[in-house]
Amino acid sequence: MKPSLLLIPIIIGLTTHKSLADIKINGFGSVVAGAVLKGDGYIADYPNLGVYENQFDVSQETRLGLQAKAQIDDKLSATIQMMSRSANDYSPEVEWLYTSYKINTNSNVQIGRMRMPVYYYSDFMDVGYAYPWVRIPADTYSLDITNFNGIKINAAKKLGDIYIKTSLYTGQEKSESDELMSYLFESFTTNIDRSFENILGGVVESSYYDFLARATYTKADMLETQTYYDGSDADINFDIKFYDLFLKYEFDIGISIMAEYNRYKPFYESYFGSLVYQDQAMSYYLSWSKFDLDTAFEEHDTTSIGVRYDAESYALKFDISSMKDNGFNPFSGKTNPVYHKATDSGDVITATISLDFVF
Amino acid sequence: MKTLILIFAATISLHSLPSYAEIAVIVNLNNSVTVSAEDIKGIFLGKINSFPNGVPAIPIVQKAKTPVADEFTKKVLHKTNSQIQAYWSKLIFTGQGTSPKELQNSEKILSIVSTNPNTISYINAADITEKIRVLIKF
């Protein structure tokens, strides 16, 4: 996304002839330190390939985001969000870059680069401050692409006491040298490129008092180009479909429960459930997540327990996660851990501490 | 040990004392809309940008961490300060909304609500004047 960097001065330039008061700057960040207590390695962030290995490490999930929003007139605004991730050597990347036009009081259209809103936490999975855990359950949030370029229409409505939010989106995305896929299939490929065309999707989210339900559906044409060790390559076309359901209930006594299920055709399904108890500044969580590929090669689940402490404007979190890896090669019968360098089954226990903030 | 238990009991009872201030949710005198507590919650959480009759609503909040703001967040939105901050960070960084405009004190709030027919805000019930309409008290 390097060419997009050129757009920053353009956006700022567009607005500096007006008063600076029209630009809002906000940011978020997470300093995350993790260590493997038992086992060989743990993939904590699949899309960006953040992996903890045999030492205490602050450079896998640490990240900083900076957002500038320019209100051009009553209806039109332009937003850019840049992120710097330790897992990608801190090189700044454009995560969001869009203009938003207000169609009427309760609906708007966004055009540009945005998150693919396929999972409930997709849009804000980097904003650690906004959720209870150290990380969004990694087994479940493992889609190799997170963003797309296109158009999204959003509308909100209230029917009786039910709030409904809907979005429709379409666009495309290219993932050249797809980091996650190239890693997963390094045994027989040197590189994997993926191109997603004709992405078309919809989201319906509704809330009724303390209950929230959200469903999404997305389809696309995917072209995958695999390059092999002998230098040859092959194109494979996939007709992909993704659907997801998320449910959450918040009890008055500080307990909330949530669960999410998704199916990515023709590849895998994944799901998680979590229980969170908040008492004043302290929150405690227990969660379980699972990834299950349609073939035997990849299957793993993680059980996590953790605490969150809320100070004035930041949160401190501590997490212990235990992952069981049940993947195996059905032809050889040997274990096939998702962390390839694992010497045995790939089972791993990690401890992570994080500091999350917004400003 | 007894002293400790007494201190503990006293602390607990302090925490559970009824809230002292009554909160009045206010709109412009020309705004005749009727709303439920759930409508107010939805407007102040950015779930909907209009009153039940379809008229655009502009929510305005009191300066954060003042007693009246804390009371409103707890009683009306049913959230803690950190929950509300987490909630808005989710919306701000995903292009789904902007947190409501914040004004320094009740005088400024009374002044804007009495002049702008789309605004909705809240004050300590003791500060109610004839220039605004009270929608509901909490």
Side-chain angles (χ1 to χ4, degrees), chain A residues 47-67:
Chain A
N48 297 294
L49 212 61
V51 187
Y52 291 106
E53 292 178 316
N54 51 6
Q55 59 192 8
F56 180 81
D57 195 345
V58 294
S59 60
Q60 298 306 322
E61 294 179 280
T62 295
R63 59 200 182 264
L64 184 76
L66 205 54
Q67 174 170 299

Side-chain angles (χ1 to χ4, degrees), chain A residues 67 106 158 163 165 278, chain B residues 38-39 49-50 83 92 96:
Chain A
Q67 174 170 299
N106 288 309
K158 186 166 185 275
Y163 289 97
K165 263 198 324 197
Q278 182 175 12
Chain B
E38 198 57 19
D39 289 321
N49 301 316
S50 53
Q83 281 174 331
I92 289 166
Q96 293 179 44

Side-chain angles (χ1 to χ4, degrees), chain B residues 29-46:
Chain B
L29 274 181
N30 294 321
N31 185 343
S32 59
V33 71
T34 51
V35 297
S36 66
E38 198 57 19
D39 289 321
I40 291 172
K41 204 176 155 186
I43 291 170
F44 280 93
L45 291 177

Side-chain angles (χ1 to χ4, degrees), chain A residues 20-33:
Chain A
L20 272 172
D22 291 324
I23 299 183
K24 249 194 180 149
I25 309 273
N26 288 98
F28 60 87
S30 294
V31 179
V32 190

Side-chain angles (χ1 to χ4, degrees), chain B residues 3-21:
Chain B
T3 332
L4 266 180
I5 292 171
L6 274 176
I7 291 173
F8 185 63
T11 319
I12 287 182
S13 61
L14 269 178
H15 276 296
S16 53
L17 275 180
S19 315
Y20 65 96

